Amino acid sequence: MKITINNQPLEVSEGITIMDACQSVGVKVPTLCYLKDVSNNASCGVCVVELKGAKSLLRSCITKITEGMEISTNTQRVMDARKMNVELLLANHPQDCLICDRNLNCELQNLTYMFGIAGKRFVRTRKQYLDKDESSLSLVRDPEKCILCGRCVAVCSEVQTVKAIDFAGRGIKSRISTYLDQGMGLVACTNCGQCALVCPTGAITEKSSISEVWEAIYNPEKVVLVQTAPAIRVGIGESMGMPSGSLVTGKMVAGLRRLGFSKVFDTNFAADLTIIEEGNELIKRIKTGGTLPMITSCSPGWIKFIEHFYPKSLSHLSTCKSPQQMFGAVAKTYYAEKTGIDPRNIVVVSIMPCTAKKYEAKRPEMDGAFKYWKDKLNLEENESFFDVDYVLTTRELSRMFKETGIDFAHLPEENFDSPLGESTGAAVIFGATGGVMEAALRTAYEVFTGKTLSSVDFKAVRGMEGIKEAEVDLDGTKIKVAVAHTLKNARIIMDEIEAGTSPYTFIEVMTCPGGCLGGGGQPIPTNAFIRQKRAESIYFEDANKGIRKSHENPEIAAIYTDFLKEPLGEKSHHLLHTTYTYRKRY
Amino acid sequence: MKSHELEILRQKNLHRIQPSTPMIMVGMGTCGIGNGADVVFNRLRKKIDENKLKCILKPVGCFGFCAEEPLVTVYQPGKPMLVYSKVDEKDVERIVEGLILGNIYRKKILCKIDVWDHLTAFFEYGKGYEQIPHWDEIPFYKGQKKIVLRNSGLINPESIEDYIAVGGYRALATVLGMQPEEVIEEVKISNLRGRGGAGYPTYKKWKIMSNKQADQKYIICNADEGDPGAYMNRNEIESDPHSLIEGMMIGAYAMGASEGIAYVRAEYPLAVKRLKIAIEQATEMGLMGENIFESGFSFKLEVVEGAGAFVCGEETALIKSIEGKAGRPTPRPPYPADTGLYRKPTNINNVETWCNIPVIFEKGGKWFTETGTEKSPGTKVFSLVGKIKNTGLVELPLGSTLNQFIFEIGEGTGTNKRVKAVQTGGPSGGCIPVELFSTPVDYESLTELGAIMGSGGMVVMDQDNCMVDVARYFLEFSSSESCGKCTPCREGLAQALAILTKITKGQGTYNDLTTLELLSTTIKDTSICGLGQTAPNPILTTLRYFRHEYEEHIQEKRCQAGVCDSLFMALCENSCPMHMNIPGYIELIKEDRIEEAFELTLRDNPIPGTIGRICHFHCQMRCRREQLDEPVSQGEIHRYLADTMYKLGKENEIYNKLIKEKLKSTGKQIAIVGAGPAGLTAAYYLVRLGHKVVVYDSFSEAGGVVRFGIPQYRLPKSVLQKEVEFIKKLGVQFVFNKRLGDNLDFNQLTKENDAVYLAIGAWKEIGMNIPGDHAKGVFSGTEFLKELALGKKPKLGEKVVIIGAGNVAIDAARSIWRLGKEVTVVYRREKCDMPANKIEIVESEAEKINYRFLSAPSEILTDKSGKVTGLKIEVMKCGGIDISGRRKPVPTGKFEEIECDSIILAVGERVDAGYLAKDGLEVTKDGRMIINPFTFETSIHKVYAGGDAVTGPSTAAEAMGMARKAAESIDFILINEKRFHRLFRDFEYKNAIPTNVKKSPRNVGYKLAVGERVGNFHEVDGGFTGEQAHNEVNRCLRCDVKC
């Protein structure tokens, strides 16, 4: 189709929007509400352009190109309108950027600067000051900072089909709220944090634990262990100013040491452990006629989702704890015993790409280590401790790095500490959608068949497709497996299961788009392009690992020999497996 | 049912419409019931039963004239139907008695209906009752054409048999025998446009839908009528629900839809109920459901009650609401025809659009185009509300002018207040000023004015409406009804409201107006849906047509209409052109602090004794006491105060106080031309501010029109003289017998003075321009009064005719009567339309002055010598209400002659400042000076003007109010410092609201007996006694006291 943009003739393909067309010729159209693949709410009124012959300005984000359009993006009418709409949003937006979590990474702030808005033309019109919602263990919502763009609502309802939040009220009383204003902690919110990831301002952020972590580090009596999830090493570089998807495992380890953590361990170790337990659980279920399909349980957002929305199907979940929780449990038992450190003095900090992990760590059943020690050390109930003490997101870690003035890009590459630092390629791919499946298949195949895989790459389960499926031949026993990421896709899988039509034996579900690398705790922005970059790094790391199958990890072998004895054994049962809770939707 | 069975059924039910027994119909719409129709109905029922009368009693819908509800229509076979208005229980007795006795109850008959064209049927009821007007002869119905409302008020809306009897469902039967394309073609021929407001051609909408292929299509009736003051759709459904259903079914057939939904405001319970009954009846009869008329066409209709949000009238939000979601609009495209209800192709039309459909098929599309304009055929129903006498539902052909709606049908405000504007289209529409009421009401013309047709709300506003407040009111509505989705609407409207509120509180700036305009443009330009795109219209139109009101709020911190209550003390104070602290002096008198009361008055008004006698008493026109009994006589109290002080000789004390506190000399010299009320007032303030002031006047004494236009029996010379003396004592110099352009040189004045204030009044008599107007014996009213004031004996004959009815005419008439001559006042309008002060009219009548109303002078008759012998007048009759709110005099062609030997022309005066134009002064076409409304400066630097010379003939108080503001402005410009407030001081007094207020008439002062007035010019009005004054001040409700 022939059109012109700012008098420049242009040929574009049918079906694209004005915004896309502009973007394609390097004309950036600002917007505060539109987000590719997430929101086309068309609410902010900033992306307007002028179309010759049209009565009013058009929203470029949703208006499709038609033949012969003559579009202008920088007439006075357009610029005045854009500026006015940003100014209108500023009228009810707190101007405390300096102390905002999103300072220097705020889309509203950027546009304010870009449009040269110098003063405050309008007064506050919102009558009531809206309280912060701090009811969630993972997220904090500050409705005062909300510009009602609707991205969070869109991501929650369209991408995750959770619908924990929606618009309430009308006119100037409009706000985002939860069912009966109960707060995100008290409704069917999965804590996935995708809302925080898409928020253009600081209206939704993670609930920070930075100060508690500093306090632990500064406490000489405490031994502070840190574990890093697989997706951190491909995300943290971005927020330290490096290109998207930079793989910075060694620098990350070095940086964490500089921050003062006693030992820098890897969640990947626990991921390998998970594979052993989960692989054996799958084999056992197949062999003994247990509940199938079995579904992975590493993603805490997904766990809460199934507890709320498909509580009848909880038996399909693997009983394995997530790697984070397995790590905590063995750190405060196996590692404590091994080093002779009083488990009460061990503080386990997780660096996670995930906000739901903050909630997971505080689930009441996550105190395996305390139960382990209770009788041995004669502990009282009120001395109880969680397996994992604090969870920081990738974003929070980057703030700690910045806070301490660490020159991240120039850090040397260092290695994880032992014994909980060794891991395999199978563990690192936990960070991408399909990774847990692939890792599990690498182990399950060999354990089940007793044969060695010719190729460890199960490419059918890789990639950004919403639901991927594959058929695996376990030496004659053919099983169908599926991988789903985002809860919208999980819902499709679950509906099949509840309808009794699911063809699968084993299913991996990850809450966030692209898996953990697209988690709600990752650097902002996170989009399809960036997720792709991070995934590439993950698979690069896997390909370059010496050991790529979990059951070949020598430290895993050691922990079974020295401590756990056998997969699905007595100790595993208490420390590495868990139970789930029936939760209501309202 | 088969289609021929419908006709059989119709024949069988004809008796329901025209029975062989008497029939009484009661208007039972929401408007009727609200006015007590249900009580009337029950009473009728009881009465009929008690008397075992063979009489049908039937509830019907609304016949349109809501102001006259409850309407009761009585039919006796063979006679026209009689429509009674405002029927109460007492009338019921009489109406039924009349039926028993075979005569008619004559009171409260509004009109008769001898024939009625339902368009789908025609009934002749009978002849008779010659003296009773036909329904379409009374102003409210005159010119109305009932297409949509064809059955309203004449059939029982809860009876499908009634509807069938008037030809209902016949169009459907016809349509079902046609091809869908033919149906759409017929709608195309009719050129019907959507009645929801946007006016999109209905056939186009239908065509798009019919071309869509889908397993399921929907049609929707939008009856979510949410505009404040609009209730057309409610009454249409309540009165004739089957018309809507039939229209929808025809549309459904044409578009291939099998399901329909009527989305009706939940606030319309009666409409919902009646529509549901109608659906049930139609289904039961097989007119809805499967295989209708054995055509294979099936249709079902469901009623969905609205969610109580204005935005749900927007089609995409409406669809969301039906789906059970929040009513938030989505951008179009995609249009509902592509992705509508449950993502299926959907057509949405307004109630009225649907209601027009059956008639189009009964009468033909061509027939439909015969009404209305070429671009907008047919009629439109409007609900005429607000400051209007005849409230109701009005159906007029499109293209009728606003004048027809508001003055002819609505008959103006029905009070002495003037219509100022009309708001069409509710909160999405605009305010159209009365000057543009000749605009035809059609989609394009209204849009051009910045308003919209909307769904048909017409809210009339009068002079007591503040247009800033009107804009604020509508913005408050649309801002709170905004769904909150998109930024410009949610945030922008709230900001606009904040700015408007600020202006109504007197805190606005000119910058705010610029911001408002920019804001409005952005909101219109960038909102997603119709709500936001049109919500700024009230702002933009009021800014366009009533900008001066905004400026007045900003610049002067005044709300002339007396609505924005932060900007005034009390309505009397606000109405007073001088803004005298009326509650203040009233309270001080109450507290027996008469000297202080006088001082307070004097600071606001240098000539209290004079004004207290001759003022128009603007204050009394807006007194809140009027809501209880009669306004307080603030003016008479004012006069009492001055008279009492003068009688006690205490005025000098206060005078000296004011003289002593004169500000020290500024060295500036100001010339004032004209020693009338404006000139005197300006001089009084300017001299107290320390300027040297010289007043020039063409007369030999000060006072201007008050001295030389008002006879002594109203204003004794001595009172004015005393007050002028005080101004002299303050240091003002007077130079008399100096006429500008004659022996007073304008250029020299400007050269020699720091400022010149022109207050030369309006003295030039407007001629009559009829044959003989220059005959011997024809005099000018002002000239006559001037000569009289100068003590001359005017050379009049014995029989004098005065043409005109203003104060000059009445003053001349009463003066001439005192000279012992026979006087006749000739006026072309009615008595109630006379512009003279009411009290003057009353007194002139007491003096037995002859009046000839509705008499338009057509020729002055003379003898051969050219001397007046009489006046030929044309007898007029009353026409409709005109733009001035009065009835138009309409010539009858009948002429009469009044014998007389002298004629005084007093039809009005005008300003004659044209001669100053040569000195560079800008003047209007009719000779008035043009000034900056806030600085009072003319087009010539340091030359200011005010009073009648600027406004044309107005009241003394208005001239003085202007002069006071001009003095403030002149002083500020000369000294560049705000000093005017120094001339005033605060008075402490009690601020208590009287409790236990009882009705009490206003006090009336002693008046000279009529017999004692002949042959002299003694003052007629004696003023209040002390007791009367005290009684009167106690009548004040102190509405200025704010909590």
Side-chain angles (χ1 to χ4, degrees), chain B residues 271-283:
Chain B
V272 169
K273 181 185 144 205
R274 289 191 179 157
L275 189 55
K276 281 184 175 166
I277 291 174
I279 292 169
E280 222 167 85
Q281 290 172 341
T283 311

Side-chain angles (χ1 to χ4, degrees), chain A residues 41-44 56-57 59 62 77 81 84-85 88-89 91-92 121-123 125 147-148 167 169-172 174, chain B residues 308-309 328 331 479-488 490-492 494-495 515 518-519 522 524-528:
Chain A
N41 199 26
S43 65
C44 73
S56 53
L57 298 176
R59 280 174 162 66
I62 50 157
R77 185 174 165 207
M84 175 75 82
N85 282 331
L88 286 171
L89 288 171
N92 285 317
R121 182 157 29 157
F122 297 114
V123 296
T125 49
I147 57 168
L148 295 161
F167 289 94
R170 55 177 142 152
I172 204 66
S174 300
Chain B
R328 288 171 185 271
S479 158
S480 65
E481 289 295 334
S482 160
C483 83
K485 175 172 171 167
C486 69
T487 310
R490 178 189 68 240
E491 303 289 339
Q495 289 298 346
T515 309
L518 259 174
L519 198 52
T522 304
K524 272 181 95 82
D525 234 4
T526 64
S527 290
I528 296 180

Side-chain angles (χ1 to χ4, degrees), chain A residues 351-372:
Chain A
I351 312 296
M352 292 286 141
C354 180
T355 47
K357 289 282 173 194
K358 288 176 182 268
Y359 170 82
E360 185 189 50
K362 296 280 182 292
R363 289 174 72 112
E365 64 271 23
M366 294 299 177
D367 60 347
F370 167 70
K371 287 186 187 120
Y372 178 86

Side-chain angles (χ1 to χ4, degrees), chain B residues 772-803:
Chain B
D773 59 351
H774 285 86
K776 262 185 252 165
V778 178
F779 304 91
S780 131
T782 49
E783 280 302 317
F784 165 76
L785 291 174
K786 209 190 295 179
E787 285 193 18
L788 203 65
L790 288 167
K792 294 183 191 163
K793 276 261 153 62
K795 297 182 202 78
L796 284 174
E798 290 306 310
K799 276 189 161 183
V800 187
V801 162
I802 294 174
I803 301 175

